Amino acid sequence: MADPQSISPSPVSSKWSADTDGDWVLGQNPSIRQIARNAQRAAIAGCTVLISGETGTGKELWGKLIHATGSRASKPFIPVNCAALTVTLAESQLFGHERGSFTGAVGRSEGVFRAADGGTVFLDEVGEMPLELQPKLLRVLQQREVTPVGSAHPQTVDVQVIAATNRDLEADVAEGRFREDLYYRLNMVELRVPPLRSRVEDIPEFIDFFSRRFAAQYQRPRWEPDPD
């Protein structure tokens, strides 16, 4: 496994070590190798990234890799489940609030974007974000600032936004469920992650890797399947 900080701009390995939690990506499929190259360029540039793919294809893993490989690696990586956001509370959750700005606001809150300042905000299931919130997210991306609930003064934030979706956002734009300007602002770099069934040639590498990993973890002999 290559250390993310040591990967040179080109060529790029398709195997990255993401972080100390043991997240990584395996595979020699050409599409995965291309995704790795594009992800590395996005990490170096620090631009907004849209990661699309089916559930279970490792979209958050790619987000962590981009964060860990870029200049923001020492700063926070904060994931947000957009499907769980509600219009009434989401603005405070994302952008923070001032004390007394609404009933129950007994203290000041930074919100996700200010807490992640200097780092990365990972917007999971961004296609599920309520329409009412989408203009506010667009403003963050365009102006690089947030206005906490109860404040009249916007505050500058420096974050890289990485969004992920299992939806067809182009179709959602055409049907009016997702803002077109927000889609293009998010889609500065798009990584389309294929499911494993589209890269079956990588399965032996997965088997070998995980059999070694769990043999070491459980102190058991490594499982080696026969060709069949």
Side-chain angles (χ1 to χ4, degrees), residues 2-8 17 67-71 73-74:
D3 188 298
Q5 302 296 339
S6 67
I7 298 176
S8 57
S17 169
H67 173 75
T69 311
S71 61
S74 63

Side-chain angles (χ1 to χ4, degrees), residues 68-86:
T69 311
S71 61
R72 301 175 183 271
S74 63
K75 299 295 184 177
F77 175 92
I78 301 183
V80 178
N81 180 4
C82 294
L85 294 175
T86 60

Side-chain angles (χ1 to χ4, degrees), residues 6 10-11 87 170 173 176 191:
S6 67
S10 182
V87 177
E170 290 185 349
V173 167
L191 308 181

Side-chain angles (χ1 to χ4, degrees), residues 42-152:
I44 294 170
C47 58
T48 305
V49 181
L50 178 63
I51 306 174
S52 60
E54 297 178 12
T55 299
T57 51
K59 295 185 291 295
E60 185 170 347
L61 171 60
W62 282 106
K64 289 181 178 180
L65 286 167
I66 292 169
H67 173 75
T69 311
S71 61
R72 301 175 183 271
S74 63
K75 299 295 184 177
F77 175 92
I78 301 183
V80 178
N81 180 4
C82 294
L85 294 175
T86 60
V87 177
T88 53
L89 296 177
E91 192 170 355
S92 171
Q93 292 171 325
L94 294 176
F95 312 130
H97 64 256
E98 299 299 326
R99 180 179 179 181
S101 56
F102 54 86
T103 302
V106 295
R108 177 179 178 274
S109 171
E110 282 191 316
V112 167
F113 278 88
R114 288 192 290 174
D117 195 37
T120 302
V121 173
F122 180 79
L123 299 175
D124 195 17
E125 299 187 57
V126 71
E128 306 294 336
M129 176 172 283
L131 272 171
E132 297 91 333
L133 290 175
Q134 293 178 24
K136 300 179 187 298
L137 174 59
L138 180 63
R139 180 173 178 81
V140 175
L141 296 175
Q142 290 178 329
Q143 305 298 329
R144 296 290 185 180
E145 62 184 25
V146 299
T147 302
V149 177
S151 173

